[in-house]
């Protein structure tokens, strides 16, 4: 029997549940933004969302296309200069969660959002890291959300844009990075967390209808599996309704024709 929700919806819901009320969250565009705004509308009304463009406490009615989307500034408590976002909020250790996505991740939760292939002659040139390296280094903890495939979960990154646990075994702490680093990776199959002994990612939870073997096969390295693997509860009717309404509003808003004066 097919579940009445999609893997993307399950992933977004699972990610949103990790955020709490009054949490200060530095949000990336895409899946992190969807999860953070679902949390705000479903169970964390006083969450403080910060986007890299300088919008603090923003409450968008629709999901932004980019960090420069006017929807973020229109609904923000304050819009501050970019240096203040990084120096006062991020480096000042005022950000509870940095919520990031990426194109590639390795077993120690290092991220690539720069290139696929050789840097000098890449197969694909990606948008780049932006502020993600600073977020990954300075936020109190990092949440990562991305779809799980062997092409995304790779044994070696084509380019390391943002540091997770570096080479593991305490190398992040020795680097001097002040934040705790990636504490959870939420995928469309389950949830991974760093193992306490090595800092290597391991499977700690799966979704209903997903097997451990499926998760292992969707990973480009031999994935560690925790001694006990939980099953994440399915989305509630309320969570699905809020998320689907959010996506429907976003689709309608972005489908409007833009008038360009001649």
């Amino acid at each position: 029997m097919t579940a009445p929700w999609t893997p993307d919806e399950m992933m977004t819901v699972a990610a949103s549940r990790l955020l709490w009320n009054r949490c200060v969250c530095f949000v990336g565009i895409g899946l992190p933004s969807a999860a953070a705004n679902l949390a705000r509308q479903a169970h964390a009304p006083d969450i403080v969302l910060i986007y890299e463009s300088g919008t603090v406490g923003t409450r968008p009615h629709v999901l932004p296309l980019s960090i420069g989307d006017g929807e973020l500034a229109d609904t923000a408590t304050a819009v501050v200069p970019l240096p203040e976002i990084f120096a006062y909020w991020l480096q000042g250790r005022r950000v509870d969660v940095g919520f990031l996505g990426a194109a590639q991740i390795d077993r120690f939760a290092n991220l690539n959002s720069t290139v696929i292939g050789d840097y000098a002659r890449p197969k694909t040139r990606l948008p780049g890291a932006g502020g993600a390296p600073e977020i990954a280094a300075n936020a109190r903890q990092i949440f990562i959300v991305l779809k799980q495939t062997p092409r995304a979960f790779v044994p070696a990154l084509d380019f390391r844009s943002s540091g997770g646990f570096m080479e593991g075994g305490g190398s992040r702490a020795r680097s001097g990075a002040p934040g705790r680093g990636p504490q959870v990776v939420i995928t469309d199959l389950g949830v991974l967390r760093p193992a306490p002994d090595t800092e290597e990612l391991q499977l700690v939870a799966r979704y209903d209808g997903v097997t451990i073997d499926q998760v292992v096969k969707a990973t480009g390295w031999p994935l560690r599996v925790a001694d006990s693997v939980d099953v994440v509860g399915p989305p509630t009717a309320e969570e699905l309704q809020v998320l689907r309404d959010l996506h429907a509003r976003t689709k309608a808003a972005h489908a409007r024709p833009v008038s360009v004066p001649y």
Side-chain angles (χ1 to χ4, degrees), residues 156-172:
L157 299 178
D158 291 336
F159 185 92
R160 184 188 291 180
S161 307
S162 303
F165 290 106
M166 311 300 182
E167 287 73 42
S171 56
R172 177 188 173 90

Side-chain angles (χ1 to χ4, degrees), residues 5-72:
W5 54 82
T6 67
D8 279 7
E9 287 175 332
M10 183 69 246
M11 171 172 52
T12 306
V13 167
S16 76
R17 290 173 178 170
L18 297 173
L19 298 171
W20 61 96
N21 206 28
R22 300 186 184 279
C23 164
V24 177
C25 182
F26 205 134
V27 192
I29 293 296
L31 289 169
S33 184
N37 280 286
L38 172 59
R40 178 177 63 82
Q41 295 181 33
H43 66 268
D46 297 319
I47 190 171
V48 179
L49 300 184
I50 297 176
Y51 286 78
E52 193 178 333
S53 52
T55 53
V56 179
T58 187
R59 305 175 67 82
H61 184 64
V62 301
L63 295 176
L65 288 171
S66 71
I67 60 170
D69 196 314
E71 176 76 10
L72 295 176

Side-chain angles (χ1 to χ4, degrees), residues 169-181:
S171 56
R172 177 188 173 90
R174 292 192 294 273
S175 77
R180 293 169 57 207

Side-chain angles (χ1 to χ4, degrees), residues 51-133:
Y51 286 78
E52 193 178 333
S53 52
T55 53
V56 179
T58 187
R59 305 175 67 82
H61 184 64
V62 301
L63 295 176
L65 288 171
S66 71
I67 60 170
D69 196 314
E71 176 76 10
L72 295 176
D74 288 345
T75 60
T77 301
V79 180
V80 302
L82 187 62
E84 182 175 324
I85 285 290
F86 284 89
Y88 178 81
W89 287 93
L90 189 57
Q91 294 171 351
R93 306 300 308 284
R94 292 175 172 86
V95 173
D96 295 313
V97 174
F99 214 151
L100 301 175
Q104 290 181 331
I105 186 171
D106 68 13
R107 69 181 66 209
F108 294 114
N110 302 298
L111 303 177
N112 172 26
S113 53
T114 303
V115 295
I116 301 298
D118 180 71
Y119 183 82
R121 297 175 179 269
K123 296 177 183 176
T124 305
R125 189 166 292 283
L126 302 167

